[in-house]
């Protein structure tokens, strides 16, 4: 398992700010407009604006592909995302991560290994969640073994009580985080609000951070995964987050599907840096 220090070192920052490249609908998705080149150009432009604005890492995600395949995307999705990821990783000097919605960890890890990406995001890594795609089950046992077979050190960032979903069962978020790390062997965890762009409860961040620390996993990073803004990023870091993942707040007009706005990136990165170093 990658340690907290090693994982954060990949970002070159003590408390990294990770920006989202929300891909428009890819070929084969209902909203695809027929212009493959435009999709790739948009991804590249967004990635460059994030990198130029001082972001510490990028997640590439097929956000426009709704309704999403539950956990096994078609081969053309993997092909398109691999091509786009290659372009992005060649163009920027920050670590790139892959998230294949809704929950295809095998595809994400395969793309990441092929393009030498730094990490993947897995929405349901352990446990079970009820979602608009149906019931999703974590496949940590498959993902970890695939990583070994691919001979890659791609890190696994796993959501805990992921957004747009309801956990099956009564297990509290702090206990779920602990099992995600101890039994699911995730390299880092992500705590988010109920939906894209929705503020993450700081109490949840504190509970997860405290639980991991209490059980000797203080070196496992905790990221806030939704609703982070220039005004709230400092509070998120104060609550125990080791980093933040930001999408909506970095877009023109604060619209999730809009292009990345350079001035918003610069402002949020500056606010995160002003929060000071991690003294834990």
């Amino acid at each position: 398992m990658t340690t907290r220090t090693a994982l954060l070192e990949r970002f070159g920052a003590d408390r990294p700010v990770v920006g989202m490249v929300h891909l428009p609908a890819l070929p084969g998705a209902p909203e695809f407009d027929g212009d493959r080149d435009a999709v790739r150009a948009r991804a590249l432009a967004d990635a460059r604006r994030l990198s130029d604005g001082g972001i510490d890492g990028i997640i590439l995600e097929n956000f426009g592909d709704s309704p999403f395949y539950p956990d096994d995307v078609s081969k053309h999705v993997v092909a398109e995302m691999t091509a786009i990821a290659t372009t992005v990783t060649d163009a920027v000097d920050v670590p790139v991560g892959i998230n294949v919605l809704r929950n295809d960890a095998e595809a994400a890890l395969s793309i990441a290994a092929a393009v030498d990406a730094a990490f993947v995001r897995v929405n349901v890594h352990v446990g079970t969640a009820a979602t608009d795609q149906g019931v999703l089950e974590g496949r940590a046992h498959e993902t970890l073994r695939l990583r070994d077979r691919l001979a890659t050190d791609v890190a696994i960032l796993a959501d805990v009580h992921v957004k747009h979903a309801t956990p099956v069962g009564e297990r509290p978020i702090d206990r779920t985080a602990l099992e995600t790390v101890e039994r699911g062997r995730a390299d880092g965890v992500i705590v988010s609000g109920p939906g894209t762009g929705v503020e993450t409860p700081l109490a949840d961040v504190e509970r997860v951070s405290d639980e991991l620390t209490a059980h000797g996993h203080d070196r496992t990073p905790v990221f806030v995964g939704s609703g982070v803004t220039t005004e709230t990023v400092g509070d998120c870091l104060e609550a125990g987050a080791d980093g933040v993942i930001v999408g909506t707040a970095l877009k023109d007009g604060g619209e999730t599907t809009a292009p990345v706005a350079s001035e918003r990136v610069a402002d949020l990165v500056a606010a995160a840096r002003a929060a000071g170093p991690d003294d834990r």
Side-chain angles (χ1 to χ4, degrees):
M1 182 183 294
T2 304
T3 67
R4 173 181 178 275
T5 301
L7 178 53
L8 295 184
E9 281 178 351
R10 297 187 184 194
F11 295 105
D14 188 49
R15 307 172 88 176
V17 178
V18 180
M20 295 297 305
V21 171
H22 291 120
L23 296 175
L26 301 177
E31 295 298 317
F32 177 58
D33 64 5
D35 191 343
R36 179 182 276 108
D37 290 339
V39 172
R40 299 182 183 185
R42 166 69 180 275
L44 183 58
D46 280 354
R48 283 177 168 160
R49 291 188 187 108
L50 290 170
S51 179
D52 292 345
I55 217 80
D56 302 304
I58 291 170
I59 298 179
L60 190 71
E61 179 181 272
N62 57 324
F63 186 81
D65 277 358
S66 61
F68 302 115
Y69 294 96
D71 53 16
D72 185 16
V73 303
S74 292
K75 294 180 178 62
H76 60 79
V77 176
V78 178
E80 290 293 336
M81 290 193 68
T82 302
I84 296 169
T86 299
T87 300
V88 169
T89 54
D90 286 347
V92 300
D93 291 327
V94 298
V96 175
I98 307 295
N99 186 22
V100 180
L101 299 172
R102 175 62 153 110
N103 197 51
D104 196 337
E106 179 181 2
L109 189 58
S110 299
I111 295 168
V115 304
D116 198 26
F119 62 99
V120 296
R121 179 176 185 173
V122 182
N123 288 175
V124 183
H125 184 58
V126 302
T128 307
T131 75
D132 54 306
Q133 294 80 36
V135 176
L136 300 180
E137 296 183 354
R139 296 182 176 178
H141 60 294
E142 295 179 357
T143 305
L144 270 293
R145 287 169 173 80
L146 176 61
R147 182 168 67 175
D148 286 344
R149 293 199 305 275
L150 294 178
T152 180
D153 65 350
V154 171
I156 296 169
L157 299 187
D159 281 273
V160 179
H161 288 191
V162 68
K163 57 191 174 183
H164 300 290
T166 302
V168 175
E170 299 296 327
R171 195 170 299 277
I173 192 169
D174 48 353
R175 188 67 194 180
T176 301
L178 184 61
E179 294 195 345
T180 300
V181 173
E182 290 191 342
R183 298 169 68 84
R185 300 181 64 82
D187 300 301
V189 298
I190 303 169
V191 182
S192 64
T196 300
V198 180
E199 187 173 352
T200 299
L202 296 184
D204 287 349
V205 180
E206 293 172 351
R207 288 174 63 189
V208 168
S209 179
D210 290 348
E211 182 77 358
L212 294 181
T213 297
H215 288 82
H217 300 293
D218 54 302
R219 297 173 67 84
T220 299
V222 177
F223 287 79
V224 172
S226 74
V228 179
T229 67
T230 299
E231 294 72 28
T232 65
V233 63
D235 293 334
C236 293
L237 297 172
E238 280 293 317
D242 298 290
V244 295
I245 299 170
V246 194
T248 300
L250 303 181
K251 305 299 188 66
D252 281 334
E255 295 290 336
T256 305
T257 57
V260 169
S262 298
E263 66 277 8
R264 283 177 169 260
V265 178
D267 289 346
L268 194 141
V269 169
R273 301 291 185 259
D278 186 354
D279 57 4
R280 284 170 287 161

